[in-house]
Amino acid sequence: MNATVVAIDKDKNSQHAVRWAIDHLVFNNPLIVIVHVRHKNHHYHAANGNDSESDEVQQLFIPFRGYCARKGVQLKEVVLDETDVARALLDYISKQYVGSIVVGSSTRNALTRKFKNQDVPTSLIKAAPDFCSVYVISKGKIMSVKTAQRPATNPPIPPKVPSPLALPAPHPVDYFEHEDASRGKHGKGYYRNAGSERLHLEKNSDPLRGPLKCRAPASLFIDTMDVSFPGTGMRISTSRDSPHEETDFSVPGSLDVAVPSSESSQASPREGVSQNARDLESEMRRLKLELKHTIDMYSTACKEALSAKKKACELHQWKMEEARRFEEARLSEEAALAIAEMEKAKCKVAMEAAEKAQKLAEMEAQKRKYAEMKAKRESEEKNRALNALAHNDVRYRKYAIEEIEEATDKFSLANKIGEGGYGPVYKGRLDHTPVAIKVLRPDAAQGKKQFQQEVEVLSCIRHPHMVLLLGACPEYGCLVYEYMENGSLEDRLLRRDNTHPISWRKRFKIASEIATALLFLHQAKPEPLVHRDLKPANILLDRNFVSKISDVGLARLVPPSVADSVTQYHMTSAAGTFCYIDPEYQQTGRLTTRSDIYSLGIMFLQIITAKPPMGLAHHVGRAIQRGTFEEMLDPSVPDWPVEEALAFAKMSLKCAELRKKDRPSLATVIVPELNRLKELGRHGHSSSSRSVSPLPHSSSNALHP
């Protein structure tokens, strides 16, 4: 059968099967046969006069008729009555030589509920003949397929040999139309089309001159056909060219119908011989038509085989592609699992690290809590000690305001020797000793606090290079210090009152003394002290140019736990002189002992350059880079040791670094280096010096170094 067969039922997959068959299998012959297997009981109901079942079957074909009409495909409907659907379809395939059949995949409906073990598609795939291709369609896609192994052809039947006198009429070609179910032995009915017609050639007792041979290669084209009639001089020859292969359907040499001459002359006239020739010619034409029809059928089968082979190749490629995709998916899944395992391991490590960090945080919190409790206890002890000292007047001597007025000649302007942020400073005599009296200004915002701070600091500490507090008048805010004949270091560096310049030896010695006193403050017990206002104006010089740190009113007691350079003590506002304040402390308010190192570095640069502090570190650094450092040294000193001064300047620049962590340690770096330079000046040795003319001395009462 040169048509595509589709088995349908009432399910959705039947519609998908019809659509798929029309889209993929209907090419050369736009004909599709739709087969429906009706249960045998339905036939019995119809025979008894119940037409509802027939109407239901007709309703089943209506959608497919409309769809085929839209697609331009001829439709042939076949209804089979049988209890076993798979067996009915297999019988139809075998009898009609169906080359390809399309079925919908199995669903649990009226068609498949009859089977317990296998469904209809499975049965067709397993039991279909080898010349039939079975396609199982689910939702418009191939679910499974069985490809035919050979083309579907009708078994050849030798043609009927004509008699010597007359050729019998050929057997008619059988066309099987719809048969009623009651006519079959088993109650089966089929539609059969012209594709099932066969050629019957009956045997005849009259022999031919040679046997009838049929040789048909794959192309099935008739190359020659030669039929001759001896005795009549009649011969029929046909030829057909083929570019590929030959087909020879002929009797060897010729097909002869021989009649003995004696019988011909006696039994029949010449007219009978002519009639026989015409009959034979008619028979040959009929045979040629049947052979041509067979060749067309074989060509169609070959085309269908090629199409099936092509589709098998496509299916194989699709299968290989699906296998490749499956392998890629498997590899991707394995990679994803491996990544998941790695992430799981990382998560586990992170959780362990988090647990450790949490434990460390808890330990740090406990240590912090313990440190806070210890600091609180120390603060309470300090407060108790301060309260005890406040009630006991043993820290310093108290002077009455009358004594202060008498010592300063009622605060005479002639005795005024200086002015600061705290207030004016007067020279006076108390207990036959020259003293310096600092008086609190009434409008000083932080004056009382600075007064109390300076009293507490200076009354509790003693150091050779810290100004000595002799007494105070708390009621009027007066502080009494020892008198320093050479004034402040700032005045001497700027040579106010035309004083002589300070030699480089004394300058190195003063720097060493200041660093030693500052280290003493930083190592004070029970709590370190941060001066916060180091500058040349707060460094005082006695008659022998021994330097002492003064003005500790801004000094701050820092707990020992925050006195180092790492942990910091937060202040609400920065205090000190602008150019000497630690930039980091000014920005963040975090105070450490290294905040004084910055002020110390700026002051050291002023000691060797005698220049204002504004931008001094930048200028000295650029001069060192350009090789013009000697021009930055104080020109009033004639014999600077340049190499030692350069080392001193570099150390001072390190002290003036913007970040606290970059500044050197006072105890381990600065003080040892300054002691080395002081010893160098004491022994009077210089590795390199320059000659600078001394400046003229214009003051007769100037102090000598």
Side-chain angles (χ1 to χ4, degrees):
M1 176 181 289
N2 187 21
T4 301
V5 177
V6 181
I8 65 168
D9 201 6
K10 299 178 181 179
D11 56 344
K12 287 288 185 181
N13 282 332
S14 295
Q15 299 178 8
H16 294 308
V18 173
R19 292 193 184 96
W20 187 89
I22 292 175
D23 293 339
H24 295 83
L25 298 181
V26 178
F27 296 108
N28 299 326
N29 186 13
L31 173 62
I32 186 170
V33 179
I34 298 180
V35 179
H36 171 64
V37 180
R38 182 172 57 186
H39 197 263
K40 190 172 182 181
N41 294 334
H42 296 172
H43 170 69
Y44 292 151
H45 292 321
N48 293 331
N50 188 0
D51 295 334
S52 61
E53 299 295 338
S54 299
D55 294 339
E56 184 179 354
V57 172
Q58 294 300 320
Q59 291 294 327
L60 179 64
F61 286 104
I62 289 176
F64 303 109
R65 295 171 186 169
Y67 184 75
C68 291
R70 290 194 299 272
K71 291 292 184 177
V73 178
Q74 297 180 10
L75 174 64
K76 188 172 182 180
E77 303 170 0
V78 177
V79 178
L80 305 178
D81 290 325
E82 181 60 74
T83 56
D84 191 341
V85 178
R87 186 173 65 184
L89 293 176
L90 290 172
D91 291 344
Y92 183 78
I93 292 171
S94 300
K95 292 181 179 181
Q96 296 298 321
Y97 295 95
V98 175
S100 59
I101 184 169
V102 183
V103 295
S105 63
S106 176
T107 57
R108 295 302 175 184
N109 52 23
L111 187 64
T112 58
R113 277 197 297 268
K114 304 297 182 180
F115 301 96
K116 297 181 180 179
N117 297 325
Q118 294 182 352
D119 53 11
V120 174
T122 305
S123 300
L124 289 179
I125 288 178
K126 289 185 176 181
D130 58 354
F131 60 78
C132 180
S133 298
V134 182
Y135 303 92
V136 181
I137 307 301
S138 175
K139 297 181 180 179
K141 296 181 180 179
I142 294 179
M143 184 176 179
S144 60
V145 64
K146 176 185 177 184
T147 306
Q149 304 298 322
R150 63 182 180 86
T153 58
N154 294 340
I157 300 175
K160 182 179 180 181
V161 180
S163 63
L165 297 179
L167 292 176
H171 286 273
V173 179
D174 298 332
Y175 293 93
F176 298 93
E177 297 299 329
H178 179 266
E179 299 178 2
D180 189 69
S182 61
R183 296 176 61 184
K185 181 178 179 181
H186 300 287
K188 301 178 182 178
Y190 306 95
Y191 277 109
R192 298 182 180 178
N193 55 12
S196 63
E197 62 185 10
R198 303 176 183 176
L199 176 64
H200 297 278
L201 297 177
E202 298 179 355
K203 295 182 180 179
N204 196 291
S205 59
D206 295 332
L208 297 175
R209 290 180 59 184
L212 182 62
K213 292 185 179 180
C214 179
R215 178 165 56 90
S219 62
L220 286 180
F221 288 138
I222 301 175
D223 199 9
T224 62
M225 181 176 287
D226 191 359
V227 180
S228 63
F229 302 91
T232 61
M234 184 180 227
R235 185 180 183 89
I236 301 174
S237 298
T238 61
S239 63
R240 184 176 182 180
D241 295 332
S242 173
H244 301 289
E245 299 191 18
E246 287 186 347
T247 301
D248 188 8
F249 187 84
S250 65
V251 179
S254 64
L255 178 62
D256 296 334
V257 178
V259 180
S261 60
S262 60
E263 293 180 2
S264 175
S265 61
Q266 296 177 4
S268 61
R270 182 176 295 274
E271 290 80 3
V273 175
S274 300
Q275 181 65 33
N276 290 338
R278 287 193 296 272
D279 293 341
L280 183 58
E281 184 180 359
S282 176
E283 179 67 15
M284 291 305 298
R285 284 197 298 271
R286 185 184 67 80
L287 291 175
K288 286 170 61 179
L289 291 175
E290 289 184 359
L291 184 58
K292 183 178 181 298
H293 181 70
T294 304
I295 292 173
D296 292 340
M297 291 178 61
Y298 188 82
S299 299
T300 303
C302 290
K303 292 179 182 178
E304 291 179 355
L306 291 175
S307 177
K309 184 177 180 181
K310 181 179 178 182
K311 290 197 175 294
C313 293
E314 292 178 354
L315 288 175
H316 180 70
Q317 293 179 358
W318 174 81
K319 181 180 178 181
M320 296 297 293
E321 183 68 18
E322 289 297 324
R324 185 185 63 79
R325 291 180 182 175
F326 176 78
E327 184 66 18
E328 291 178 354
R330 186 181 64 80
L331 294 176
S332 300
E333 182 180 3
E334 292 178 356
L337 290 175
I339 294 174
E341 290 295 331
M342 293 175 59
E343 292 297 329
K344 186 177 180 181
K346 290 181 181 179
C347 181
K348 184 178 180 181
V349 172
M351 291 179 64
E352 292 177 355
E355 291 178 357
K356 291 181 181 179
Q358 185 176 3
K359 292 180 180 179
L360 291 176
E362 292 176 355
M363 294 175 61
E364 291 293 333
Q366 292 179 357
K367 290 181 180 179
R368 180 179 177 183
K369 184 177 180 181
Y370 176 76
E372 290 177 352
M373 293 176 61
K374 184 177 179 181
K376 185 177 180 182
R377 288 196 299 268
E378 291 177 353
S379 177
E380 292 175 355
E381 291 176 1
K382 175 193 170 185
N383 291 333
R384 286 197 297 270
L386 291 177
N387 291 334
L389 291 174
H391 291 86
N392 299 325
D393 298 333
V394 296
R395 294 180 297 167
Y396 58 89
R397 177 178 176 180
K398 287 189 177 180
Y399 291 96
I401 188 61
E402 291 79 12
E403 294 177 294
I404 300 298
E405 289 179 348
E406 182 180 355
T408 59
D409 194 13
K410 303 230 183 250
F411 303 105
S412 172
L413 292 178
N415 293 327
K416 186 176 180 181
I417 57 176
E419 180 78 24
Y422 181 86
V425 180
Y426 297 91
K427 179 181 178 181
R429 293 183 67 87
L430 285 173
D431 299 329
H432 309 286
T433 303
V435 295
I437 301 173
K438 184 189 295 186
V439 181
L440 175 64
R441 254 201 331 261
D443 58 345
Q446 301 291 333
K448 293 182 180 179
K449 184 176 180 180
Q450 292 182 14
F451 171 84
Q452 187 67 26
Q453 181 71 20
E454 194 154 353
V455 170
E456 289 178 0
V457 173
L458 293 179
S459 62
C460 296
I461 60 176
R462 291 289 186 272
H463 191 271
H465 300 292
M466 295 291 297
V467 173
L468 180 63
L469 177 66
L470 300 177
C473 179
E475 293 81 7
Y476 292 92
C478 298
L479 296 173
V480 181
Y481 298 98
E482 62 176 324
Y483 180 70
M484 306 294 286
E485 286 83 354
N486 280 319
S488 67
L489 177 61
E490 182 182 35
D491 294 339
R492 300 292 75 79
L493 291 175
L494 299 178
R495 299 179 62 196
R496 289 175 182 158
D497 298 330
N498 294 322
T499 57
H500 283 282
I502 306 175
S503 67
W504 63 267
R505 295 179 177 84
K506 285 188 174 62
R507 298 190 191 210
F508 286 166
K509 181 178 74 71
I510 290 171
S512 176
E513 292 171 352
I514 295 172
T516 303
L518 186 62
L519 180 63
F520 171 76
L521 288 177
H522 289 176
Q523 294 178 348
K525 301 297 181 181
E527 295 175 343
L529 275 169
V530 179
H531 189 280
R532 294 204 297 170
D533 197 19
L534 278 178
K535 56 184 178 179
N538 288 337
I539 305 300
L540 302 180
L541 304 173
D542 64 3
R543 65 168 62 91
N544 297 320
F545 284 91
V546 174
S547 61
K548 297 187 179 185
I549 298 177
S550 68
D551 199 2
V552 293
L554 294 179
R556 173 70 62 180
L557 294 171
V558 179
S561 60
V562 297
D564 58 356
S565 61
V566 179
T567 311
Q568 300 166 343
Y569 185 70
H570 184 73
M571 302 295 296
T572 57
S573 61
T577 306
F578 174 70
C579 293
Y580 302 93
I581 298 177
D582 174 16
E584 193 170 336
Y585 164 57
Q586 188 177 11
Q587 292 177 2
T588 63
R590 296 186 177 95
L591 179 67
T592 69
T593 53
R594 291 203 178 187
S595 299
D596 283 341
I597 304 298
Y598 180 85
S599 305
L600 189 68
I602 301 299
M603 186 169 59
F604 282 172
L605 293 176
Q606 285 188 278
I607 287 176
I608 61 175
T609 62
K611 296 183 183 299
M614 181 68 70
L616 183 57
H618 174 71
H619 295 314
V620 173
R622 292 194 63 181
I624 292 175
Q625 291 178 356
R626 295 177 179 177
T628 60
F629 171 70
E630 293 185 27
E631 299 177 2
M632 294 297 298
L633 295 174
D634 187 359
S636 63
V637 177
D639 54 350
W640 277 107
V642 179
E643 292 185 4
E644 280 72 14
L646 180 61
F648 183 85
K650 290 181 179 180
M651 182 193 67
S652 303
L653 289 176
K654 290 182 180 179
C655 295
E657 287 286 347
L658 296 179
R659 297 187 301 181
K660 295 177 181 179
K661 65 179 182 179
D662 296 334
R663 298 167 195 163
S665 170
L666 182 62
T668 60
V669 178
I670 301 174
V671 172
E673 177 66 15
L674 293 177
N675 289 335
R676 183 185 71 82
L677 294 176
K678 182 177 71 172
E679 292 299 325
L680 178 68
R682 180 180 299 176
H683 292 88
H685 174 72
S686 174
S687 60
S688 175
S689 62
R690 69 178 184 178
S691 179
V692 180
S693 301
L695 297 177
H697 300 159
S698 59
S699 176
S700 59
N701 57 353
L703 298 176
H704 294 279

